[in-house]
Amino acid sequence: MSTDFKSLPKAEIHIHLEGCFSTETIVELARENGTPLPRPEERLLEFQGLADFLRFLDFICGLSRSKDQLARSAYAFSRRMADSGVGYADVIVNPTHWSGWRGNLSGLVEGLDEGFRAAEADGLPPVGLCVSLLRQQSCVEAVALVEELLRLKHPRVVALSVDGNEAASGRTGEKFAEAFQIAGRGGLGRTAHAGESSGPEGVRDAIFLLGADRIDHGVRAIEDPALVEILADRQIALGVCPSSNLVLGLYRTLGEHPIELLRRAGVPVSVNTDDPALLRTDLAAEYARTADAFAWDKETCRGVAETSIRASFAPDALKTSLLEALARW
């Protein structure tokens, strides 16, 4: 199908700011800070699995040490969204990666907000901030983070998230249940990585222990037909990232990816990029690849984009505007 997916009104709802630094930006920040690269520039984005990938995220984020560098990173993210035709983005930020801002959550949020506000003033897409826990954190640390977010009451922060390597940390739903309950009572959205490095049990925990409004990845739910029914019945959206799943070895080919089986089973699915700079992709390209792999027609693509908008934490008025534009597409 020959379609201009940049023009498709859509939201990006599973994307990490940590994964949006271009090679050029990484090299520039390393030079500014006098920090050596972990490997030669030409091999900078070559990863040996998820653990190596996550270590690299720590390195990248450690390069943003000033408020100006934070604001520049946020502005560059908004520019990336505009270049792919995104109308709104929920961006995930995990404070544990940003070593220069440990113990200064308000400074991290304010620095990023400065960049996002400047971008919006220049006509770039609005962005909501999903602040994420790392699976290796403790229950006490998780609750403390949420309580601080609720004290800050920063309008940029729209949700609590949890990410990290589930295979390495084991099941963490019970550990983080209290933090997610507090977040929900405090009016924050709730989203959780599950069903990527964990199997269906991770998705069940995200639903029943964390009360997740949507699931980041969630694709391994396909291994549990009863769980697929739950997702469909409750209309819990999945933020699916096809290329990420391939690069990190979850599936060998796009044709083997379960996004279409999940969609046909009635599960709301959206297409996203996860870490687009590091995976050398963008949202328009992800739609094009996925639509081609599964022979999606225009109405199917419209339906997937609609899911992304409805499942986002965008303000209602913005959702309405994007949905009206989508109906005209």
Side-chain angles (χ1 to χ4, degrees):
M1 180 177 64
S2 177
T3 302
D4 174 17
F5 286 107
K6 180 176 179 178
S7 71
L8 174 69
K10 56 193 175 295
E12 172 92 72
I13 61 173
H14 181 177
I15 185 169
H16 300 258
L17 183 59
E18 296 90 349
C20 289
F21 289 81
S22 67
T23 301
E24 294 75 20
T25 299
I26 295 168
V27 172
E28 177 186 330
L29 287 172
R31 188 176 295 119
E32 284 180 19
N33 291 311
T35 303
L37 297 173
R39 47 186 170 263
E41 184 176 340
E42 63 273 13
R43 294 194 293 108
L44 201 55
L45 304 186
E46 295 177 8
F47 307 108
Q48 306 301 314
L50 182 59
D52 180 41
F53 184 79
L54 293 173
R55 283 193 298 271
F56 189 71
L57 294 186
D58 286 334
F59 168 76
I60 295 171
C61 298
L63 298 175
S64 288
R65 299 172 187 175
S66 70
K67 192 173 181 181
D68 174 67
Q69 288 171 333
L70 281 180
R72 282 157 51 196
S73 299
Y75 192 100
F77 172 85
S78 298
R79 170 61 64 193
R80 177 180 289 275
M81 294 299 94
D83 289 346
S84 199
V86 172
Y88 170 84
D90 284 327
V91 66
I92 301 164
V93 172
N94 188 317
T96 66
H97 290 305
W98 302 75
S99 56
W101 300 91
R102 285 184 186 144
N104 188 7
L105 182 61
S106 63
L108 177 64
V109 172
E110 287 164 9
L112 294 173
D113 179 60
E114 183 177 302
F116 290 135
R117 281 189 288 109
E120 288 167 20
D122 288 343
L124 300 180
V127 175
L129 195 58
C130 303
V131 178
S132 193
L133 299 164
L134 187 67
R135 292 194 183 278
Q136 283 73 19
Q137 289 180 279
S138 68
C139 172
V140 172
E141 289 172 317
V143 169
L145 175 77
V146 174
E147 289 178 341
E148 186 170 1
L149 288 175
L150 295 180
R151 279 196 302 272
L152 290 174
K153 287 190 170 74
H154 200 291
R156 182 68 57 186
V157 178
V158 295
L160 177 69
S161 171
V162 60
D163 61 13
N165 191 338
E166 294 171 272
S169 59
R171 295 176 76 166
T172 56
E174 193 169 312
K175 178 171 67 171
F176 293 131
E178 182 181 0
F180 271 75
Q181 288 166 7
I182 295 170
R185 290 197 298 269
L188 290 175
R190 292 174 286 183
T191 182
H193 279 58
E196 179 202 24
S197 52
S198 69
E201 72 282 354
V203 179
R204 284 185 175 273
D205 287 353
I207 296 169
F208 295 110
L209 296 178
L210 304 183
D213 299 301
R214 67 172 188 249
I215 310 290
D216 296 323
H217 293 301
V219 289
R220 290 188 61 193
I222 198 67
E223 299 165 22
D224 182 345
L227 178 58
V228 172
E229 283 190 31
I230 291 169
L231 290 168
D233 289 346
R234 298 190 179 201
Q235 288 293 283
I236 298 172
L238 305 183
V240 182
C241 305
S243 286
S244 174
N245 295 157
L246 298 185
V247 170
L248 295 179
L250 201 54
Y251 304 102
R252 291 180 301 170
T253 67
L254 190 51
E256 295 175 15
H257 196 284
I259 185 171
E260 175 66 353
L261 292 175
L262 290 161
R263 188 190 71 82
R264 287 183 177 273
V267 178
V269 298
S270 62
V271 170
N272 304 272
T273 60
D274 206 357
D275 298 283
L278 305 186
L279 301 175
R280 300 181 178 94
T281 190
D282 63 43
L283 192 54
E286 286 298 287
Y287 268 89
R289 291 188 196 108
T290 310
D292 183 61
F294 299 107
W296 285 353
D297 60 18
K298 190 170 183 178
E299 289 312 304
T300 301
C301 296
R302 195 193 310 270
V304 172
E306 180 178 346
T307 292
S308 74
I309 296 166
R310 292 191 185 280
S312 77
F313 297 121
D316 288 343
L318 179 55
K319 285 187 180 183
T320 298
S321 175
L322 288 171
L323 290 169
E324 289 173 349
L326 180 61
R328 296 190 298 269
W329 179 72

